[in-house]
Amino acid sequence: MARVLSIFLLTLFLWSLSFCKEPVQKPELEGFVVKNVIHPNNNPYNQDKVELGKLLYFDKRLSLKGDTNCAICHSVEIQNSEVVSAPRNKIHKSVAPPLTNVALYKDVFTDPQANDLEEIVKERVHTAIMLKDEKTIVARLSQVPEYRELFEKSFGSPGITMDRIVKAISTFERTIISKNSKFDRYVMGEESALSPSQKRGLDVFMNKAKCTQCHKGPNFSDSEQHTTGLKGITQKIRTPSLRDVSKKSEFMHNGEFTKLEDVVNHFVKGGSKGSISDPLLKPSAISEEEKKDLIEFLRSLEGESHPLEMPKIPRA
């Protein structure tokens, strides 16, 4: 009975703030996450568009000098590729955010003027580093026979436009998701997927630590903006997803911490002394053992590694 109740409460927790259409039940485990990815009506999903978007994501012809692409800044796990230092500070105000699970957020990044991923993608293409001149981008791609064919297959009619470029990249980015984590397997009924420590940590996460005040839903984020408890930080920051959090090398929006343990300690203490007061940031009476269990639970949110294989960019 306790197991049934636990799964029931956990299911409610995960889907409570999921503003998605009624999902189609899938037998595959990955459906636990994938079914929450909603493609907008004006940019429906199809596999040809995903493949086209992936090529454009890696194609440097979208940049002014032909020397950078989306993947360089928004790093993903890439096979057969050298890591290249990117001019991130020229495009982004801070380190470019990873795009894993971007499709699971209710909104996109923190821009209040942007309503969907497509708007953000277009904004990023319109930078000093990428190519602001839409006509030049379209002309470059139109010279490539393979692109002309792919755009027609993806959209059902001939023609390469900036709107279609943006839609293809956005469709591809919505497929970059973290899935099949130990936690996902546990919720889907695999009792042994979580260790005893991780199960205890789940209980701490949901109850004593009250992490679900902000980290809720299938992406473990309410997509709302909150204070962070960091001294000297006055702006509110959108709740980050906790999926794959154990893979990160720095934490908080400004890289304040480099260890997951430090982040947990920060929030257990209710934030830093002298930081902005917030009713959601209160000290928690959690033991050192419970903190270890909580960290182990957070490690269970790490999805399977599926490195992207570098596509063969079409030649003109």
Side-chain angles (χ1 to χ4, degrees):
M1 176 61 73
R3 165 70 175 167
V4 174
L5 180 60
S6 174
I7 293 296
F8 174 72
L9 292 175
L10 194 52
T11 302
L12 286 180
F13 148 63
L14 283 171
W15 311 129
S16 61
L17 286 192
S18 178
F19 290 81
C20 301
K21 300 176 183 177
E22 186 66 24
V24 177
Q25 295 300 321
K26 300 180 182 180
E28 312 95 89
L29 176 60
E30 69 175 35
F32 179 71
V33 174
V34 175
K35 66 186 178 184
N36 284 276
V37 175
I38 298 297
H39 295 266
N41 293 332
N42 65 348
N43 189 20
Y45 171 92
N46 68 61
Q47 187 58 39
D48 289 324
K49 196 186 297 181
V50 172
E51 294 304 316
L52 172 60
K54 181 178 180 179
L55 290 172
L56 295 171
Y57 190 84
F58 285 93
D59 198 331
K60 294 181 179 180
R61 277 175 289 207
L62 269 67
S63 65
L64 183 63
K65 297 181 179 180
D67 59 354
T68 191
N69 57 28
C70 302
I72 288 177
C73 280
H74 296 280
S75 57
V76 291
E77 294 175 284
I78 304 171
Q79 293 177 334
N80 307 321
S81 172
E82 295 182 1
V83 177
V84 181
S85 58
R88 297 180 177 180
N89 62 325
K90 294 183 180 180
I91 299 179
H92 306 275
K93 293 180 180 179
S94 57
V95 175
L99 295 178
T100 304
N101 301 326
V102 69
L104 295 178
Y105 282 112
K106 288 191 301 179
D107 58 359
V108 182
F109 303 125
T110 57
D111 186 349
Q113 303 302 317
N115 296 316
D116 53 36
L117 181 57
E118 284 76 5
E119 289 187 23
I120 292 293
V121 170
K122 184 170 184 178
E123 175 193 320
R124 293 300 183 255
V125 173
H126 281 244
T127 65
I129 301 300
M130 302 303 278
L131 198 54
K132 292 182 179 181
D133 188 345
E134 296 184 15
K135 291 183 179 180
T136 302
I137 294 179
V138 171
R140 282 182 180 179
L141 299 184
S142 296
Q143 294 173 4
V144 185
E146 187 175 340
Y147 268 136
R148 294 199 298 269
E149 180 181 341
L150 286 172
F151 271 90
E152 183 170 358
K153 287 178 62 178
S154 300
F155 294 95
S157 62
I160 298 177
T161 65
M162 175 57 68
D163 180 65
R164 287 184 169 187
I165 291 170
V166 167
K167 286 181 176 178
I169 294 175
S170 300
T171 300
F172 165 67
E173 289 183 355
R174 288 189 174 98
T175 68
I176 305 175
I177 57 176
S178 173
K179 57 192 177 184
N180 298 356
S181 68
K182 291 180 179 179
F183 170 78
D184 294 338
R185 301 204 308 270
Y186 176 74
V187 173
M188 294 293 282
E190 187 180 332
E191 178 71 31
S192 62
L194 294 186
S195 68
S197 174
Q198 289 170 334
K199 291 176 183 177
R200 294 193 301 269
L202 169 59
D203 181 68
V204 174
F205 182 88
M206 295 181 65
N207 296 295
K208 267 193 172 184
K210 297 182 179 180
C211 303
T212 54
Q213 291 180 116
C214 301
H215 294 284
K216 59 182 75 175
N219 201 27
F220 290 86
S221 168
D222 61 3
S223 288
E224 302 293 340
Q225 295 190 28
H226 301 282
T227 55
T228 60
L230 294 174
K231 188 175 181 180
I233 303 298
T234 58
Q235 73 267 35
K236 292 185 177 182
I237 306 298
R238 190 186 64 172
T239 306
S241 168
L242 293 182
R243 286 188 176 273
D244 286 340
V245 67
S246 55
K247 292 182 178 180
K248 298 179 68 174
S249 57
E250 56 182 41
F251 304 86
M252 312 302 282
H253 74 287
N254 60 352
E256 180 85 7
F257 304 117
T258 57
K259 295 182 180 178
L260 187 55
E261 290 80 359
D262 293 336
V263 181
V264 169
N265 285 328
H266 171 75
F267 285 106
V268 166
K269 291 186 296 185
S272 305
K273 290 184 178 179
S275 63
I276 296 176
S277 177
D278 190 309
L280 295 181
L281 284 175
K282 293 182 179 180
S284 304
I286 296 176
S287 68
E288 290 300 314
E289 196 63 34
E290 287 173 325
K291 280 195 282 188
K292 291 179 181 179
D293 289 336
L294 176 57
I295 291 170
E296 283 304 306
F297 166 68
L298 294 176
R299 297 188 194 284
S300 79
L301 302 180
E302 184 174 317
E304 292 180 353
S305 178
H306 295 287
L308 289 174
E309 184 175 354
M310 281 282 292
K312 185 178 180 180
I313 305 300
R315 293 185 178 182

